[in-house]
């Protein structure tokens, strides 16, 4: 027999009470980890949604002032064609970079013969978009927003995609001929012809009646430039981000400066806000865990201590030091913590496995279509919660045990 | 050689607006190997005196010396260690730890000393044999009779080979036959190990085999007689 066996047997004295306490700890543990696991999954989805599905890449490069002036003076803040050209050759020299994809945002008027409406367009090189989708891990390979029709291709630069709202209000369909009208970088009005190749669901209802996508080449023809608006840089591995960011800054400095290099997390407002919100909720869940577990353990320990007052007196009379009494109850608290962490781990795995098997479908706000819900089992979270839970139960046991250890031996012995 | 010296010890307890004087100036010296009975009526201060000798309580005034050292000068840890090594305790209600077997109860003081389980097991078994309970080693306290429990408690008190064992009314919860057996057992262990025993009782019938009778009344020693061994 050693002190741990003694402590364990003491917990078995009141099995029901110990079990309830351990269960409370286990539920708290599971709540934190299931919620944390869902949060981790959410963050991954938001991140990949932004980087891959949104075609934004890990890093974005644009001219200083582009964001602020893109609507009023789109031509004035483009990355010049020659700089873009040199950037596109970076992946050949730097194998951390997978793709350098120029994009352009522009507005103008979409003419469908008898009807017309303003458009908001996103332009990109179609083959680039394929790379983004192919690389996406969380969204499944080849996923795209296409609802009907074929994807755009580099070979047919006059083909465009339109949102359902545009299709509806302009009475368009696949293969419809349209004309795009916009101001060139010199301020002239220019028109190009295009054919509707596909239609898609707009990620936001506000843009539904205006949003179109077109090949970068067509957009450049329309506004008469070789330049691009924003450049998305896609990396092979996320962990290279800081190094590549630095390298890019140096590269652009050598190009004369005046550029912004932004990481995906700086650019994604949705990610930032969601992360803030979820971190807050996570903090609240965690706080509730702390309160419930510590109160429940303290209560259990306080009751055990009252019930065992005479025994504490006996042990002290036999020569156990005050610290020995505290240690004994600390061990009992620790065992509750270990039990709670193990039961909580089991509970978390059960919830995780159930969700994995059932795979309930849901629509994340960023993707705009149904995907199977997942939660992740994050080893760091599991480890941290385990350690935290054990420390917490230990502390919650020590508090009442300290009091018990310092009471008079004679009084304790006389306790009934 | 004197082991324990109680010098002009007083103990007062607050009771409402007044004080109760449990001990009113007690002088007592316990020598090595003595077998002492503290007897007297209820409320005379027997338990209080036992607590002082056992170093689980301190006098309000006066001193208690153990091996010449004033126990008041010791830290709480030092007093705990003193109890663990030099003092054994036997209680009226046996006070065995219910989740420990008879053997494990006897091992407890050794475990507090840091002796390993295997090391203490052998010694504890030997001690259980001395009290005639070797075949009950694995029993839980609740499966033992009162007399058996008290014998386990005596083995537990003796396991660290203390210099003195303090027993406050060790027989109060036993029938007279078992009570006499417990006193006889303590007496034979006292002879075998040269351990001093101080036990309290209000039962005069149990005083037959003692070396020394200390009579307490109203917190004072009224009589302290040595009996020449029969
Ligand atoms: N904790 C206490 N608070 C108040 N009074 C106490 C306390 N302990 C003992 N007393 C009082 O001190 C006196 C001596 O008590 P003590 O327990 O030493 O007597 P005793 O001889 O052991 O009696 P008994 O035979 O009933 O056990 C009694 O009057 C008792 O009521
Ligand atoms: Mg008494």
């Amino acid at each position: 027999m050693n002190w741990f066996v003694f402590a364990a047997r003491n917990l078995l004295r009141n099995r029901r009470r110990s079990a309830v306490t351990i269960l409370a700890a286990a539920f708290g543990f599971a709540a934190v980890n299931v919620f944390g696991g869902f949060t981790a999954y959410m963050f991954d989805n938001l991140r990949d949604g932004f980087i891959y599905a949104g075609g934004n890449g890990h890093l974005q490069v644009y001219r200083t002032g582009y964001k602020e002036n893109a609507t009023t003076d789109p031509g004035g803040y483009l990355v010049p064609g020659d700089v873009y050209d040199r950037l596109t050759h970076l992946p050949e020299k730097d194998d951390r970079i997978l793709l350098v994809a120029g994009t352009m945002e522009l507005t103008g008027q979409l003419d469908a013969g008898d009807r017309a409406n303003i458009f908001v367009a996103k332009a990109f090189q179609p083959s680039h978009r394929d790379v983004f989708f192919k690389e996406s891990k969380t969204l499944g390979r080849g996923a795209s927003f296409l609802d009907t029709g074929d994807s755009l291709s580099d070979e047919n630069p006059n083909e465009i995609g339109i949102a359902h709202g545009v299709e509806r209000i302009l009475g368009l369909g696949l293969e419809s001929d349209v004309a795009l009208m916009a101001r060139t970088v010199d301020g002239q009005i220019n028109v190009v012809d295009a054919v509707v190749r596909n239609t898609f669901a707009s990620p936001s209802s506000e843009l539904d009646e205006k949003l179109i996508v077109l090949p970068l080449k067509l957009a450049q023809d329309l506004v008469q430039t070789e330049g691009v608006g924003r450049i998305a840089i896609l990396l092979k591995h996320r962990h290279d981000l800081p190094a590549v960011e630095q390298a890019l800054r140096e590269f652009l400095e050598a190009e004369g400066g005046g550029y912004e290099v932004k990481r995906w997390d700086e650019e994604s407002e949705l990610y930032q806000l969601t992360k803030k919100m979820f971190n807050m909720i996570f903090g609240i869940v965690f706080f509730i865990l702390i309160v419930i577990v510590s109160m429940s353990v303290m209560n259990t320990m306080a009751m055990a201590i009252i019930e065992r007052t005479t025994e504490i007196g006996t042990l002290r009379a036999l020569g156990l030091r005050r610290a020995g009494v505290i240690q004994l109850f600390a061990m009992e608290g620790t065992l509750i913590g270990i039990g709670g962490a193990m039961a909580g781990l089991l509970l978390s795995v059960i919830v995780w496995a159930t969700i994995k098997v059932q795979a309930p479908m849901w629509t994340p706000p960023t993707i705009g279509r149904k995907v199977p819900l997942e939660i992740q089992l994050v080893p760091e979270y599991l480890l941290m919660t385990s350690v935290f839970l054990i420390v917490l139960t230990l502390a919650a046991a020590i508090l009442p045990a300290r009091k018990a250890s310092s009471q008079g031996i004679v009084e304790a012995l006389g306790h009934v | 050689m004197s082991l324990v010296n109680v010098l002009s010890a007083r103990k007062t307890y607050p009771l409402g607006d007044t004080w109760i004087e449990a001990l009113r100036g007690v002088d007592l010296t316990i020598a090595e190997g003595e077998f002492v009975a503290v007897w007297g009526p209820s409320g005379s201060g027997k338990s209080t005196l036992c607590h002082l000798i056992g170093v689980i309580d301190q006098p309000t005034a006066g001193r208690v010396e153990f091996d010449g050292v004033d126990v008041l000068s010791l830290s709480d840890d030092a007093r705990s260690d003193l109890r663990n090594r030099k003092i054994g305790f036997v209680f009226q209600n046996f006070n065995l730890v219910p989740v420990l077997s008879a053997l494990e109860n006897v091992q407890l003081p050794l475990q507090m000393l840091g002796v390993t389980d295997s090391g203490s097991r052998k010694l504890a078994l030997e001690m259980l044999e001395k009290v005639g309970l070797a075949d009950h080693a694995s029993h839980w306290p609740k499966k033992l009779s009162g007399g058996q429990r008290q014998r386990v408690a005596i083995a537990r008190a003796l396991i660290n080979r203390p210099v003195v064992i303090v027993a406050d009314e060790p027989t109060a919860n036993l029938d007279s036959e078992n009570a006499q057996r417990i006193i006889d057992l303590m007496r034979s262990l006292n002879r075998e190990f040269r351990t001093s025993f101080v036990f309290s009782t209000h039962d005069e019938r149990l005083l037959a085999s003692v070396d020394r009778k200390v009579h307490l009344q109203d917190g004072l020693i009224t009589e302290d007689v040595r009996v020449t061994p029969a």
Side-chain angles (χ1 to χ4, degrees):
Chain A
M1 208 259 321
N2 56 45
W3 291 110
F4 251 109
V5 176
F6 190 15
R9 287 200 203 149
N10 280 329
L11 285 183
L12 293 177
R13 278 169 131 161
N14 197 327
R15 276 160 219 257
R16 220 170 65 126
R17 188 172 65 202
S18 300
V20 167
T21 313
I22 287 172
L23 265 182
F27 273 114
F29 182 100
V32 164
N33 278 289
V34 167
F35 189 73
F38 174 71
T39 309
Y41 159 80
M42 273 284 294
F43 291 164
D44 280 8
N45 253 315
L46 283 174
R47 183 190 65 215
D48 289 3
F50 184 79
I51 293 175
Y52 297 101
N56 297 296
H58 295 91
L59 287 162
Q60 294 218 326
V61 173
Y62 47 85
R63 286 270 299 277
T64 306
Y66 171 76
K67 269 175 129 178
E68 296 77 11
N69 302 293
T71 45
T72 49
D73 183 14
Y77 293 90
L78 297 179
V79 178
D82 56 330
V83 176
Y84 175 51
D85 190 53
R86 283 192 286 280
L87 276 168
T88 54
H89 286 97
L90 276 181
E92 294 151 30
K93 284 172 269 172
D94 189 337
D95 65 359
R96 295 170 299 189
I97 301 174
L98 185 68
L99 180 70
V100 174
T103 65
M104 204 183 270
E105 289 136 304
L106 63 156
T107 58
Q109 186 170 310
L110 182 62
D111 219 310
D114 48 346
R115 298 189 223 177
N117 192 26
I118 48 168
F119 69 75
V120 173
K122 285 197 129 212
F124 47 82
Q125 194 175 313
S127 57
H128 286 167
R129 184 49 58 103
D130 295 341
V131 175
F132 278 108
F133 282 138
K134 209 176 93 218
E135 290 298 312
S136 172
K137 282 161 196 79
T138 39
L139 299 170
R141 283 157 173 265
S144 81
F145 294 120
L146 273 194
D147 277 328
T148 55
D150 301 317
S151 11
L152 307 182
S153 71
D154 292 358
E155 289 75 38
N156 301 305
N158 285 330
E159 296 176 345
I160 65 168
I162 59 173
H164 292 317
V166 179
E167 179 186 16
R168 195 182 62 247
I169 66 161
L170 291 184
L172 295 172
L174 295 179
E175 308 301 335
S176 297
D177 290 315
V178 293
L180 302 173
M181 197 191 300
R183 281 160 69 98
T184 68
V185 289
D186 300 325
Q188 252 83 50
I189 301 291
N190 192 22
V191 180
V192 294
D193 291 325
V195 181
V196 175
R197 174 53 69 199
N198 64 57
T199 64
F200 59 87
S202 161
S204 99
S205 54
E206 288 153 63
L207 281 178
D208 198 36
E209 295 177 350
K210 304 187 189 74
L211 190 65
I212 66 172
V213 294
L214 62 157
L216 182 64
K217 188 81 196 51
L218 185 62
Q220 286 173 327
D221 281 354
L222 182 57
V223 298
Q224 305 262 292
T225 182
E226 299 280 293
V228 294
R230 290 174 198 248
I231 301 164
I233 315 267
L234 191 62
L235 304 186
K236 284 180 186 158
H237 304 291
R238 204 168 59 248
H239 60 75
D240 289 330
L241 214 160
V244 176
E245 182 183 0
Q246 188 53 35
L248 261 180
R249 281 188 200 286
E250 280 157 21
F251 179 91
L252 291 165
E253 209 49 53
E255 289 288 345
Y259 293 94
E260 301 287 331
V261 178
K262 295 283 184 190
R263 293 188 315 274
W264 66 271
D265 55 325
E266 294 175 290
E267 284 293 289
S268 175
E269 212 175 311
L270 183 68
Y271 181 85
Q272 303 265 20
L273 291 174
T274 317
K275 188 153 186 156
K276 248 187 216 150
M277 182 181 81
F278 271 80
N279 281 343
M280 203 176 78
I281 300 174
F282 189 77
I284 295 170
V285 172
F286 207 73
F287 180 74
I288 293 172
L289 164 90
I290 294 175
V291 172
I292 290 178
V293 172
S294 53
M295 290 210 333
S296 142
V297 173
M298 273 211 257
N299 181 57
T300 295
M301 283 299 152
M303 277 164 73
I305 283 165
I306 290 169
E307 287 164 9
R308 282 156 56 195
T309 301
T310 311
E311 188 176 307
I312 294 169
T314 306
L315 293 173
R316 293 276 287 132
L318 295 181
L320 190 63
R321 290 181 177 192
R322 280 184 182 155
V325 175
I326 296 172
Q327 266 171 33
L328 181 61
F329 283 97
M331 271 182 209
E332 291 175 28
T334 305
L335 285 176
I336 288 178
I338 292 172
M342 287 194 329
L345 185 66
L346 188 72
L347 207 60
S348 307
V349 171
I350 290 171
V351 173
W352 170 81
T354 309
I355 289 178
K356 190 114 198 153
V357 170
Q358 298 277 318
M361 301 296 281
W362 74 306
T363 310
T366 41
I367 298 180
R369 67 194 166 82
K370 288 199 159 194
V371 294
L373 173 71
E374 280 174 44
I375 61 163
Q376 298 173 1
L377 279 185
V378 189
E380 290 93 339
Y381 285 2
L382 292 170
L383 192 74
M384 262 171 42
T385 359
S386 299
V387 171
F388 186 81
L389 188 62
I390 292 167
V391 171
L392 186 70
T393 51
L394 176 81
I398 284 178
L399 254 103
R402 277 177 68 93
K403 235 176 103 186
S405 74
S406 56
Q407 70 189 332
I409 299 172
V410 175
E411 286 91 82
L413 282 170
H415 182 95
V416 270
Chain B
M1 196 193 104
S2 72
L3 295 171
V4 189
N5 271 316
V6 179
L7 302 160
S8 317
R10 292 178 168 273
K11 185 76 187 178
T12 52
Y13 294 107
L15 188 82
D17 296 339
T18 60
W19 301 82
I20 284 202
E21 287 201 283
L23 294 178
R24 301 190 290 157
V26 166
D27 289 277
L28 184 71
T29 296
I30 308 289
E32 194 187 323
E34 272 193 311
F35 196 70
V36 185
V38 176
W39 66 292
S42 183
S44 57
K46 304 183 294 293
S47 294
T48 308
L49 183 58
C50 283
H51 297 157
L52 295 187
I53 297 169
V55 195
I56 57 171
D57 206 356
Q58 285 142 24
T60 317
R63 282 192 299 159
V64 176
E65 288 176 0
F66 207 100
D67 273 343
V69 178
D70 183 355
V71 297
L72 257 180
S73 70
L74 299 173
S75 68
D76 192 79
D77 281 352
R79 280 198 294 270
S80 300
D81 295 350
L82 174 73
R83 288 194 295 273
N84 186 214
R85 288 161 207 267
K86 303 241 171 127
I87 304 170
F89 255 101
V90 176
F91 306 90
Q92 178 176 335
N93 296 315
F94 323 126
N95 290 21
L96 298 182
V97 178
V99 295
L100 303 181
S101 68
L103 182 73
E104 288 163 346
N105 264 285
V106 179
Q107 283 176 280
L108 252 186
L110 282 168
Q111 193 177 321
M112 289 174 191
L113 267 183
V115 179
T116 60
D117 185 46
S118 52
S120 62
R121 178 174 291 266
K122 195 171 154 289
L123 292 169
L125 259 175
E126 280 170 17
M127 203 49 83
L128 275 179
E129 207 158 328
K130 297 265 183 226
V131 300
L133 281 175
D135 50 342
H136 289 69
S138 61
H139 284 43
W140 298 109
K142 65 168 181 277
K143 300 274 177 192
L144 299 172
S145 71
Q148 288 171 329
R149 286 184 212 185
Q150 200 60 307
R151 280 191 276 160
V152 173
I154 290 169
R156 182 176 68 180
L158 205 56
I159 189 77
N160 278 355
R161 299 295 168 87
V163 291
V164 61
I165 287 179
V166 180
D168 186 18
E169 307 251 17
T171 61
N173 284 336
L174 300 173
D175 57 60
S176 54
E177 191 184 330
N178 269 307
Q180 190 56 56
R181 276 206 208 138
I182 287 297
I183 302 297
D184 292 347
L185 175 66
M186 294 200 302
R187 183 58 167 159
S188 73
L189 293 169
N190 157 252
R191 291 209 164 105
E192 181 176 349
F193 293 103
R194 298 276 311 142
T195 306
S196 309
F197 275 76
V198 178
F199 74 96
S200 71
T201 182
H202 52 257
D203 187 351
E204 280 186 66
R205 289 173 298 174
L206 296 174
L207 303 178
S209 58
V210 302
D211 295 335
R212 188 175 164 195
K213 302 176 196 176
V214 176
H215 188 243
L216 266 184
Q217 190 133 27
D218 288 334
L220 286 171
I221 294 178
T222 53
E223 196 183 31
D224 185 351
V225 288
R226 279 161 217 274
V227 185
T228 40

